[in-house]
Amino acid sequence: MKTTRKHLLTAAIAATLPLGALAEAPPDDPGGMINVANIYFTLDAVTWDTSKWNWKANHDMLFMDHLIMGDLQYGPRGSNENDFIAQAFIPEQHYTGDLAESWEVKKDPLRIEFTLREGVYWQAKEGVMERREVVAEDIINHFETMKASDRYIPTYWDFIDEWKAEGDRKVVAYLNEFNGNWGYRIGWGYYDGIMPPEWHNLSGEQRADWRNATGTGPYMLTEVNRGREQVYKANEDYWDTTTIDGKTYDLPLNDGVVYNIIKDEASSIAALRSGQVDIHESVRWQFVDELKKTAPDLKFKSALRTEGTYIALRTDKEPFNDVRVRRAMNLAVDQRAIQQSLLNGEGALLNYPFSQRWESLYTPLEELSEEAQAMFGHDPEKAKALLAEAGYPDGLEFDLQVCSCDPYHVDMVAMLQAYYQMAGITMNIKTLEYGAFRSQMRDENQADGYLMDNGEGNPFSVLRKSYLTDQTWNPSFYADETFDKMWNTALHETDVEKQNEMLREMNEYIIEEAVPQVWLPTQEFYIAWWPWVKNYHGELRVGAVRPAPIYARIWIDEELKEEMGY
C-alpha cells in the first residue's frame, strides 16, 4: 500500500488495551479499499464548501482534521465506556488531541490555549496550494473566515472575543464568557473542521468543486460520481499512528475508502449480501433476519438511531401558534402503534430532545407530567375537543413536507394521514427530494408541518438548534424568551451538577409545556460488516458525524475475502 514511508514501527505502547480486547495485529503491509454503505448512504455530499455551514461536511470530508476528537481507546477496542455511535456527543473525559496535541482553559484573562502538533502538513493540491506545515495562523484564518460567512449560525462563536497566535504552534481563543459547550463549538463539532487559507481564498464556485478540496486528514478525495460513489485515497503524508499489540503503525491501515451512494434501500442490502459492500452502517430491522439466513457470516451491532423523529409544527403562525392545537396533534397520533408496526416493537417512544443515551440527563416518559404522558397515548376524541376549544370545531387542514430519502418516513405518512383523519384533521402530503426538502426548512416555502429526523447532537446543542429563537435548525420557528434565558444561564454555569439540573429542566419544559412538535418513535438500526473487515467494532463517529479516524484504523483481509468466495 505505501511506498514512501516505513509503515511498521516498534514502539512502547502509549495506551494499552485491556487483555480481552486486544485487536488482531495487521500484516506488515495492510491495505485494501473499504467499500461502505454509510449511515447516510442515500445522500450525496450536500456541498464541498464548508463555508456554507453544512452539517454533513465532517461525514464527507475525510480529508479534514479538527483540533480535538474522541479517543477510540475508550470504545469497544479499549475500555468500552463509549460505543462511539452518538452523533455529536463526546464526553470531555473521552477527548484526545487531533491537530492540537494539548489544550488548557485558563483565567485572567479567560482563554483556551491550544498547542498544535509538529509535522502536520496540508495536502498539496494543484492550483490551490503547495504542501506545507500547519501553523497557528491557519487555525485563526479558518474560524474568522467561517464566522464571516452569510450562513454563520447566530451566536455560535459569540463567546470568543478574538483568536491570537503565539508563534507557529500555539493558538489562543480569548473568551468574553465561559461556554460549557466549547469543545463542541470549536474542538470537534460540525463546523470546526480546519481548512487552509489558500482554499478559503478561492471563489465560491472553486470551493464548491471537489477537485480543489484539501486538508490534513487521513484521506484525499480523488473521484466523485453523484448518485453512485465518492472515492478517497489514503493520504501517505498523514500524521497519526495507532498501536496494536505493542507495535505502532502509520495510518491509514488501508488504501482508501469508497462511499457507495445507493438511492434504493433494497439495492444497498443486495450490495452487502453480495460482498460488494464491506460495511453497511444503516440496516433496518426488516432486513436483518433475511441477511442472517442468506449471509450468516455477517457481523451485526444494533443501536438506537442518533436522530429524533418528529413533525415540526410552525409555532409562528396559525393554527399551530396555539399550544392546545399542538397537543391535539400529538393526541391524534398512535405513536405506540407506529412503533409496533413500522419498527417491530424496537426503538424508543421518546428520544428527543434528550437521548436515552444520556442516562444522567434523560427523563423517562413515565416520570413526566400526566399531561405530557397523555400525548403519547392515542385519544382522537380529546384531540377534537382541544381543537374545538382552540377555535377549530370543524377540524383543520395542513400540508406536511416529507423527504423521499427516508424509507421510515415514507412508510409512516399514510398512517399519520389516517390518524389525523380520525380527529378531523386533513393532512396533505408534499414529498420532496432531499435537496429541495432541506432548502425549504425555515424558508418562506416551509409547510406548516415538516416531518424530519434531527440529530441528537449533545445536550446544549440539541436545545439550542431546535428551540432557541431564530436558530438555523429550528423548523418549528419556536421562540420563547423564558426558554432562551434558561438556556443561556445553563451555558455559563460552571458547577456541573447545577448545570445538569438546568438541562434536565429545559428538556422537560419543551416536552411538557412548549410542545413545538409531534413526537414520533425513534428507530433501532443495525451496523453490519464482513469478517474480512479487520480492527472494526461498529464505531461510527469520533466527533460530530465524523468517521474518518475510524476508517483509518481498518484494513481489509483480502485473502480471507477470497477464501470466502467474494
Side-chain angles (χ1 to χ4, degrees), residues 43 46 55-56 403-405 432-439 473:
L43 301 181
V46 178
W55 71 272
K56 200 167 175 284
C403 182
S404 61
C405 63
L432 301 170
E433 291 295 323
Y434 181 75
F437 175 81
R438 172 64 185 89
S439 68
W473 283 83

Side-chain angles (χ1 to χ4, degrees), residues 351-355 358 456 462-463 467 507 510-511 517 519:
N351 197 53
Y352 203 84
F354 282 7
S355 168
W358 310 337
E456 64 186 27
V462 72
L463 294 172
Y467 311 111
N507 179 55
I510 290 296
I511 300 169
Q517 61 205 39
W519 277 272

Side-chain angles (χ1 to χ4, degrees), residues 40 58 68-72 74-75 81-96 156 180-185 187-190 192 305-307 351 353-362 455-463 465 496 499-500 503 540-546 550:
Y40 310 112
N58 293 347
I68 296 171
M69 66 179 179
D71 188 346
L72 287 166
Y74 290 99
E81 299 170 50
N82 189 330
D83 60 10
F84 287 99
I85 298 289
Q87 186 182 53
F89 184 36
I90 305 295
E92 192 168 350
Q93 63 270 28
H94 296 168
Y95 287 5
T96 191
Y156 199 78
N181 207 24
W182 70 263
Y184 169 78
R185 295 287 183 94
W188 50 264
Y190 282 101
D192 49 54
R305 284 188 68 92
T306 59
E307 300 87 15
N351 197 53
F354 282 7
S355 168
Q356 291 188 5
R357 290 183 179 85
W358 310 337
E359 295 181 5
S360 63
L361 297 172
Y362 178 81
E456 64 186 27
N458 60 69
F460 277 111
S461 68
V462 72
L463 294 172
K465 68 178 182 177
V496 175
Q499 187 180 77
N500 285 345
L503 289 167
L540 294 180
R541 295 130 172 163
V542 293
V545 299
R546 185 185 176 206
I550 297 168

Side-chain angles (χ1 to χ4, degrees), residues 31-44:
M33 292 294 291
I34 307 169
N35 274 272
V36 183
N38 61 60
I39 192 77
Y40 310 112
F41 66 88
T42 64
L43 301 181
D44 289 285

Side-chain angles (χ1 to χ4, degrees), residues 7 9 17 30 52 63 67 84 129 144 159 161 180 195 202 255 269 271-272 354 377 408 411 463 491 499 543 559 566:
H7 22 144
L9 306 171
L17 294 169
K52 297 298 184 184
F63 46 82
L67 291 170
F84 287 99
M129 69 181 301
E144 290 180 346
F159 67 100
D161 264 339
M195 296 292 280
L202 298 174
D255 296 317
I269 298 300
L272 173 66
F354 282 7
Y408 174 40
D411 290 347
L463 294 172
L491 186 68
Q499 187 180 77
E559 291 184 5
Y566 293 92

Side-chain angles (χ1 to χ4, degrees), residues 239-313:
W239 56 269
D240 202 5
T241 62
T242 190
T243 300
I244 301 175
D245 197 20
K247 297 178 181 178
T248 298
Y249 299 82
D250 287 341
L251 296 177
L253 295 177
N254 51 70
D255 296 317
V257 175
V258 179
Y259 275 178
N260 291 265
I261 311 300
I262 309 174
K263 301 296 183 180
D264 177 68
E265 185 180 24
S267 297
S268 77
I269 298 300
L272 173 66
R273 186 190 298 110
S274 65
Q276 297 176 51
V277 163
D278 303 308
I279 303 171
H280 197 312
E281 296 177 346
S282 184
V283 179
R284 290 203 292 163
W285 68 266
Q286 288 94 329
F287 300 98
V288 173
D289 286 345
E290 176 199 358
L291 283 170
K292 287 181 177 179
K293 292 176 184 176
T294 58
D297 293 317
L298 281 171
K299 298 181 179 182
F300 289 90
K301 179 176 182 175
S302 66
L304 194 63
R305 284 188 68 92
T306 59
E307 300 87 15
T309 301
Y310 59 85
I311 300 174
L313 302 173

Side-chain angles (χ1 to χ4, degrees), residues 122-325:
W122 295 110
Q123 301 167 11
K125 182 67 64 168
E126 185 176 356
V128 178
M129 69 181 301
E130 299 292 329
R131 175 185 182 270
R132 67 170 178 82
E133 192 168 5
V134 175
V135 295
E137 288 290 350
D138 296 340
I139 311 300
I140 295 172
N141 175 272
H142 175 79
F143 282 105
E144 290 180 346
T145 307
M146 287 288 287
K147 188 173 182 180
S149 168
D150 58 4
R151 298 295 296 273
Y152 170 68
I153 295 175
T155 75
Y156 199 78
W157 288 330
D158 287 3
F159 67 100
I160 300 174
D161 264 339
E162 64 176 332
W163 289 88
K164 285 187 177 181
E166 296 182 4
D168 285 344
R169 293 188 58 231
K170 179 171 286 187
V171 59
V172 184
Y174 287 90
L175 314 184
N176 52 54
E177 58 187 1
F178 180 72
N179 187 298
N181 207 24
W182 70 263
Y184 169 78
R185 295 287 183 94
I186 62 174
W188 50 264
Y190 282 101
Y191 312 111
D192 49 54
I194 308 299
M195 296 292 280
E198 291 89 338
W199 179 88
H200 278 299
N201 289 335
L202 298 174
S203 68
E205 183 179 357
Q206 291 172 313
R207 291 195 304 271
D209 188 340
W210 64 266
R211 296 169 185 84
N212 294 323
T214 186
T216 58
Y219 297 99
M220 306 173 74
L221 183 61
T222 59
E223 189 174 352
V224 174
N225 297 297
R226 289 192 65 81
R228 190 163 67 87
E229 65 180 7
Q230 293 162 201
V231 182
Y232 305 84
K233 177 186 175 183
N235 176 13
E236 303 286 345
D237 209 16
Y238 186 49
W239 56 269
D240 202 5
T241 62
T242 190
T243 300
I244 301 175
D245 197 20
K247 297 178 181 178
T248 298
Y249 299 82
D250 287 341
L251 296 177
L253 295 177
N254 51 70
D255 296 317
V257 175
V258 179
Y259 275 178
N260 291 265
I261 311 300
I262 309 174
K263 301 296 183 180
D264 177 68
E265 185 180 24
S267 297
S268 77
I269 298 300
L272 173 66
R273 186 190 298 110
S274 65
Q276 297 176 51
V277 163
D278 303 308
I279 303 171
H280 197 312
E281 296 177 346
S282 184
V283 179
R284 290 203 292 163
W285 68 266
Q286 288 94 329
F287 300 98
V288 173
D289 286 345
E290 176 199 358
L291 283 170
K292 287 181 177 179
K293 292 176 184 176
T294 58
D297 293 317
L298 281 171
K299 298 181 179 182
F300 289 90
K301 179 176 182 175
S302 66
L304 194 63
R305 284 188 68 92
T306 59
E307 300 87 15
T309 301
Y310 59 85
I311 300 174
L313 302 173
R314 290 285 299 266
T315 63
D316 62 326
K317 54 191 294 191
E318 295 182 349
F320 300 136
N321 60 346
D322 190 320
V323 70
R324 293 170 295 184
V325 176

